[in-house]
Amino acid sequence: MSTPTVLFVCVHNAGRSQMAAGYLRAFAGERVRVLSAGSEPADSLNPVAVAAMAEEGIDIAGAVPELLDPDAVRASDVVITMGCGDSCPVFPGTRYEDWELADPAGRDLETVRGIRDEIRARVEALVADVLAE
């Protein structure tokens, strides 16, 4: 069986998608290839998202927002968009999910912790699901 690829997409690739990617890397290790991108990538990560993940022992500070590339979508087994209505290219045979999540941009740490915890629960379920296939 080949290693499944999961792509997380949000507009700025600076908060939600980076937190989800951080969790998936931490939970699945080398068993899943993890990508994240944005339709309009920010210049840098949301520092509050970085701080919220650091509380979990996951360092995403070195991640860089990347522009969504149709080839990344084509190469992915699962594409997860983050409640931001992204226009994502659709390819047959690719599984798509949309996670309705609040945008952590401009929010305080307490609010971002709630978003982080919701992402963690969804990623835990995703790991079990993707590795069971």
Side-chain angles (χ1 to χ4, degrees), residues 8-91:
F8 294 104
V9 181
C10 67
V11 175
H12 300 299
N13 191 219
R16 292 166 290 191
S17 55
Q18 294 285 1
M19 289 192 285
Y23 273 128
L24 186 54
R25 286 186 187 103
F27 297 158
E30 300 297 313
R31 298 175 296 164
V32 177
R33 182 171 171 238
V34 182
L35 305 173
S36 72
S39 54
E40 299 171 24
D43 293 331
S44 61
L45 293 195
N46 176 337
V48 182
V50 173
M53 291 302 287
E55 291 180 348
E56 295 278 285
I58 298 172
D59 181 7
I60 62 169
V64 177
E66 293 187 32
L67 181 63
L68 178 63
D69 177 351
D71 290 339
V73 178
R74 192 177 289 112
S76 298
D77 300 295
V78 181
V79 176
I80 296 175
T81 56
M82 306 260 173
C84 35
D86 274 333
S87 51
C88 198
V90 174
F91 296 103

Side-chain angles (χ1 to χ4, degrees), residues 1 4-9 17 19-25 27-28 31-35 77-82 95-99 118-133:
M1 180 182 134
T5 300
V6 176
L7 169 63
F8 294 104
V9 181
S17 55
M19 289 192 285
Y23 273 128
L24 186 54
R25 286 186 187 103
F27 297 158
R31 298 175 296 164
V32 177
R33 182 171 171 238
V34 182
L35 305 173
D77 300 295
V78 181
V79 176
I80 296 175
T81 56
M82 306 260 173
R95 180 173 135 199
Y96 294 88
E97 289 184 26
D98 184 54
W99 292 359
E118 186 175 347
I119 291 170
R120 178 185 178 121
R122 289 175 184 242
V123 171
E124 286 173 339
L126 179 71
V127 169
D129 187 41
V130 168
L131 294 179
E133 290 178 4

